[in-house]
Amino acid sequence: MRIQRQILKESNLRSTTSRSKILGLFLSNSHALSYSDIEKQVASLFDRVTVYRTLKSFLEKGIIHKIPDNSGGLKYALCSDHCPHTVHQHDHVHFKCTRCGQTSCLEEVEIPPFDLPGGYKPDEVSLLVQGTCSKCR
């Protein structure tokens, strides 16, 4: 609980029950969470709007980042170093296990630099690798 309060304070967010609980879910999981994963665990405590607003605040403050999923959905993962919202970049690879379905950040594997054609400016870059994770092998 103390870690949650510290992260929220450093991010200039008030420590509320919903923020502490949802942040605790991220801290206790080593893999990315979908909105559905989060909602299932806190449905009896908070409504959908509270969960959505909490995730939005965490994204804006650089506490978590989005990971596009191959199914068209999104997953969310903790930022390793809380990045300010103005420099919210994650140039690492994300890995989704085709057996267990868990998505993990592979922070040690950087997305290689690339050049876009003239007139194109990237706002966000994501690389999702799919295969079998070390636990499922």
Side-chain angles (χ1 to χ4, degrees):
M1 197 64 139
R2 186 171 36 151
I3 293 171
Q4 288 98 314
R5 282 193 209 115
Q6 181 182 348
I7 291 170
L8 293 170
K9 184 177 180 180
E10 289 171 1
S11 301
N12 294 319
L13 288 172
R14 278 186 325 120
S15 180
T16 63
T17 306
S18 59
R19 288 176 180 160
S20 294
K21 179 70 174 170
I22 292 171
L23 184 53
L25 294 176
F26 285 104
L27 291 168
S28 64
N29 282 284
S30 60
H31 58 276
L33 301 171
S34 67
Y35 178 89
S36 174
D37 296 332
I38 297 163
E39 190 178 43
K40 284 177 193 170
Q41 294 187 49
V42 299
S44 62
L45 302 170
F46 314 113
D47 61 26
R48 299 181 97 164
V49 174
T50 300
V51 174
Y52 173 79
R53 286 182 180 159
T54 300
L55 291 174
K56 186 174 188 251
S57 295
F58 287 177
L59 285 165
E60 290 171 352
K61 295 294 186 171
I63 296 172
I64 61 173
H65 63 280
K66 295 184 289 187
I67 303 169
D69 193 298
N70 65 321
S71 65
L74 286 175
K75 290 193 177 183
Y76 304 91
L78 274 178
C79 296
S80 59
D81 296 318
H82 309 297
C83 23
H85 65 281
T86 55
V87 190
H88 197 55
Q89 292 188 343
H90 298 279
D91 296 333
H92 60 267
V93 171
H94 298 101
F95 187 91
K96 181 176 180 182
C97 181
T98 53
R99 288 194 184 164
C100 67
Q102 292 186 348
T103 302
S104 303
C105 294
L106 301 180
E107 307 230 9
E108 64 279 3
V109 183
E110 292 185 10
I111 296 174
F114 56 89
D115 293 320
L116 293 175
Y120 290 90
K121 180 189 171 291
D123 291 325
E124 206 173 305
V125 177
S126 180
L127 178 59
L128 179 67
V129 176
Q130 296 181 76
T132 308
C133 71
S134 59
K135 291 178 185 175
C136 292
R137 285 183 53 117

